[in-house]
Amino acid sequence: MYPVTKDFLGKPAPPGYVAGLGRGATGFTTRSDIGPAREASKPEENKGVASKLPKSQTQEDAGADDERRFNNAENEEGLFSNMPYEEDDEEADKVWAHIDAKMEERHSKKPQKSSDENAPVIEEQLRGFKRQLQGMSADEWDAIPDVSQLAEMASRAKRRRKNTTNRRGERMYRVSDSTLVAGLGMAGVDQSIVSTEDPSAADGMVTNFMALGQARDDVLRMKLDQAGGDSASGKTTIDPRGYLTSLSTVAAKSAAEIGDISRARMLLKSVTKTNPKHAPGWIAAARLEEIANKMAKARLVIAEGCENCPQSEDIWLEAARLNNTKAQEARVILASAARNLPKSVRIWMAAADLERQASDQKAQKRILQRALEFVPTSIVLWKEAVSLEQPEDARVLLSHAVDLVPLSTDLWLALARLEPYERAQKVLNRARRAIPTSHEIWIAAARLEEQEGQRERVPKITAKAVSSLIANGALMGRASWFDQAKQCEDDGYPATCQAIVAATADLDFDQDDSPMDRVDIWTEEAEKMLASKNVVAARAVFAHALDTMPTNVDLWRLAADLEREHNEDPQALDALLRRGVQYCPQAEVLWLIAAKEKWVRSGDVDGARVVLEEAFAANPNSESILLAAVKLESENEQYTRALALLDRGRALSFDGGKKGTARIWMKSVVLLRQIGQLDRALETVRQGLQGSFEKSYKLWLLQSQIEVALGRPKEARQTLSKALKSCPTSVDLWIAAARLEASHHFSLHTRARAILERARVYVPRNPQLWLEAVCLECDIAGNNEPKVARTLLTRAIQECPKAGALWAQAILLEPRTQRKAKSVDALKNTSDCALIVMVARLFWSERRLEKARSWFERATRTDSDYGDAWAWWLRFEFDQGSSEHVGNVEQLCIKADPHHGQMWPTVSKDPSNARLPTKDILHKVAQALGSTRQL
């Protein structure tokens, strides 16, 4: 088949042909296509070219236009031409037409670019400049700056403008040479710099800096002399020496402040001109001048204001204030003010105060008397006038004052204070009739009776006061009355305070409030009173609460605590407790408190015995009362009577038909052990264990300890073995068994370790067992590195992360350089007292003594019952403190009376230390801590 040959191949392209134009390609032209500097073709030529195009190409363009008509969404001649035109379409067209109109209006407001076809193109505009470039030389071409150089020059010019702007506020002016030369003195020290390279130096022109400085000083001195001299007499009117000093006191104002003051002055001037009768505007204008340190102008402004606003009280007072340095002018101003405003109390008081500042009491009295003629009902003026008089004259004035101002409570009370007792009663009665709603008058009447020794009348007056005020509608809450009671106590009227509390304590309660609810509220209010040191008021609240609920044991205890801490009279506490046991005979705690107070506070041992006998008669099966009697007898070395009481207690039947209690049996054994009767103590403890108390781990411990003391360690081992079978969860028994195996009696550390491991199975996650195991490994290691102890301690801390004793031991076993970091980790996990003590010891080892003392104090505040903390603190004060610090620690420890710790129970429960006081035990524990591992 022969190939088809295209007829246009090898033929030239038609004029104006662009490849791909028919299918939408735009194409592009280059300089080679159009030739050098060829002008654009005219539209007429294009039309001619278009007419020469083939018909097929014209049809293709028409088809393309026909396809493009679907690109316009608003053209409905295509896809939607056959759709019906409805009302919605018409409304939509109107909306869009309105939007188009708005957009065209908006665009029409913007400046339109010129679309003149005759405007010259850029090429024609630059054609003349291009011709001028023909005459430029090569050097001129090189001198044209680069773009980067232009940017640098622009930034440099910007910085120059900025620096010029910043220096605008602080311009400096050069002094002319003629002025400097005229001020030169005689011969001065030649302080010059001569440069051999400067040609002017060869001509003898040198710069003398010392001469320039002296010339400037001479010019300044001359100007000061001219400012302070009198042109007529030649005498100075100012102090030349103090002139510069006075300048330092002048507050320099910035340009912004001066501008603000100027603007404010213009604004206020407009205000005063617009409304000259507006007094605040004049006052503000005067104060503005005062701020600007123009006192003379301020006085002129305020004087003009007084002329325009003579009925303004504030403007007269402001004028007097601005003239306070000139007493006579201030008097004139206040006199004018009083003539214009004769009933102004403030103006009269300002005039009196002006005379008071001048120490002219007669003039002050005269002004107040004149003021009272115009304002006879002013309480302020009457008080000020009375304060200047002697008591007799003051009483006369007050008698006249209460007639003119009968509703002033203060005037009535002041008159009553100046009158004798009988006349004061009459004055207060008149005051009550004049002001039936005043509680102050009733309280003053009660105080008057207490002051005269008529205390029995005080409760009647307060009760009548409450009922009268309620009848007259003067309602006061319980809190307000209690505030008045506390004020009476502070002023030294305790009977009135108690009477007010008793009469008003039941106010503000509903009928639905139970007595227990009332007691709770009263207790909270009494505690608040104690916090504010109002003991009498708190005692009165407790007394009223006890009258309401006399069978509340906790209330009696709180009242007893108050008397013990705030009353030095032991009879008051004894009487209170006597009343308490009458209402609550079954309350053992009240009997015990009464007996202890008799014994400890009063030293009355026989009286304490009587109280305990009465208590035992009211509570025949009371373990606490029996043991209290035993302690009383044993502490006073009456061992026979104490043993007899214990025998009696072991014979009594308690709950479940048991003979005695485990505690009574234990106290019996402990007392026999203390007095040295070990065989009898061993027999007694065996009887108790064979009876009904084989589950008492303390009896098992006592038996093992007595057997060790008798030299029978093997029997003690068997006893502890039986004890662990009866009490497998007792931590103290496991520790005692391990310590016995590790002691010098057996020295079986391996068996002790096995016992502690077995104990952790029965009692998991117990820090005491872990600590005992760690201490055992440390004892086994001796002076060597306790590697096993550290490993064991890591496991212990993982199981008990909150145990402070374990963290303290971990810090102790760490190297010195790592102890601080370990202590920080420990404190993040717990704040136990034992850990705080270890941190304090760490500061002690670093010689940071104040820090260590504060941490020891913090430890005792955290847990005051931890005895080891007190002992370590005492060791610290013995080593680094003074005798005063040691005494302070001893007193605080005696007050806290600790019982627990790692070393404290071991020392305090030693039979040889049984009757030692807390102070001696503290010293023994501190001494025993010296043998432990140190930092």
Side-chain angles (χ1 to χ4, degrees), residues 805-818:
L806 294 177
W807 282 105
Q809 191 69 22
I811 295 172
L812 189 63
L813 296 181
E814 285 291 331
R816 183 178 295 274
T817 56
Q818 300 178 9

Side-chain angles (χ1 to χ4, degrees), residues 636-866:
N636 289 281
E637 300 183 358
Q638 299 295 326
Y639 299 116
T640 304
R641 301 180 67 172
L643 291 173
L645 289 172
L646 289 170
D647 293 341
R648 179 183 174 183
R650 291 197 303 272
L652 291 174
S653 298
F654 290 88
D655 297 336
K658 296 180 181 179
K659 296 295 183 180
T661 62
R663 191 179 177 195
I664 292 176
W665 282 94
M666 185 191 68
K667 292 293 183 180
S668 301
V669 176
V670 170
L671 181 59
L672 291 170
R673 183 184 175 190
Q674 289 177 0
I675 62 178
Q677 298 182 12
L678 297 179
D679 294 331
R680 185 179 173 184
L682 184 59
E683 181 182 356
T684 303
V685 71
R686 286 175 178 174
Q687 290 177 2
L689 290 171
Q690 291 173 2
S692 304
F693 306 105
E694 60 179 2
K695 297 294 183 180
S696 177
Y697 75 95
K698 290 186 177 181
L699 290 177
W700 287 110
L701 280 175
L702 285 172
Q703 181 177 349
S704 64
Q705 291 171 2
I706 293 172
E707 289 172 346
V708 171
L710 292 173
R712 306 171 189 174
K714 293 183 179 180
E715 294 182 7
R717 176 191 286 177
Q718 295 175 0
T719 299
L720 291 174
S721 179
K722 295 178 183 179
L724 292 174
K725 294 178 182 178
S726 300
C727 309
T729 58
S730 174
V731 176
D732 294 335
L733 286 176
W734 287 107
I735 293 176
R739 288 180 179 178
L740 180 63
E741 297 297 338
S743 64
H744 66 279
H745 297 290
F746 300 104
S747 299
L748 299 177
H749 297 92
T750 304
R751 188 167 180 176
R753 186 185 293 117
I755 290 174
L756 291 174
E757 291 178 356
R758 185 182 174 192
R760 293 197 295 273
V761 175
Y762 282 96
V763 190
R765 299 183 180 277
N766 186 273
Q768 296 181 11
L769 294 175
W770 281 108
L771 183 62
E772 187 66 26
V774 171
C775 293
L776 177 64
E777 297 299 336
C778 291
D779 294 339
I780 295 173
N783 296 327
N784 299 325
E785 187 73 15
K787 297 182 180 180
V788 180
R790 289 181 181 174
T791 305
L792 198 62
L793 193 56
T794 304
R795 292 175 51 198
I797 292 176
Q798 291 177 354
E799 284 198 9
C800 308
K802 300 296 183 181
L806 294 177
W807 282 105
Q809 191 69 22
I811 295 172
L812 189 63
L813 296 181
E814 285 291 331
R816 183 178 295 274
T817 56
Q818 300 178 9
R819 287 173 180 171
K820 185 177 293 185
K822 195 72 172 181
S823 65
V824 173
D825 295 339
L827 290 171
K828 291 179 181 178
N829 288 275
T830 183
S831 57
D832 189 76
C833 183
L835 174 60
I836 298 175
V837 170
M838 182 56 68
V839 174
R841 292 174 59 191
L842 188 62
F843 285 124
W844 181 11
S845 65
E846 295 176 355
R847 310 296 297 175
R848 300 172 64 179
L849 305 182
E850 291 300 327
K851 200 76 172 177
R853 183 176 286 108
S854 64
W855 277 81
F856 277 124
E857 185 177 358
R858 176 182 174 184
T860 55
R861 286 199 309 267
T862 303
D863 186 4
S864 60
D865 195 52
Y866 190 72

Side-chain angles (χ1 to χ4, degrees), residues 45 156 278 381 475 690 731:
E45 296 178 359
R156 191 181 302 114
H278 185 61
L381 292 176
L475 301 179
Q690 291 173 2
V731 176

Side-chain angles (χ1 to χ4, degrees), residues 350-387:
D353 187 66
L354 184 63
E355 300 299 336
R356 182 184 58 80
Q357 294 177 1
S359 302
D360 192 351
Q361 191 172 9
K362 291 183 179 180
Q364 189 177 0
K365 290 181 182 180
R366 186 170 59 254
I367 290 173
L368 291 172
Q369 291 173 3
R370 183 65 174 169
L372 288 171
E373 293 178 3
F374 289 98
V375 195
T377 59
S378 173
I379 300 174
V380 176
L381 292 176
W382 280 110
K383 288 182 178 179
E384 188 69 19
V386 169
S387 65

Side-chain angles (χ1 to χ4, degrees), residues 15 302 415 424 435 546 716:
I302 203 67
L415 179 58
I435 314 174
L546 289 172

Side-chain angles (χ1 to χ4, degrees), residues 530 535 559-568 573 601:
L530 287 176
V535 180
D561 293 339
L562 184 146
E563 297 296 336
R564 183 188 302 111
E565 295 178 4
H566 300 283
N567 196 343
E568 298 180 357
L573 178 58
R601 194 171 183 181

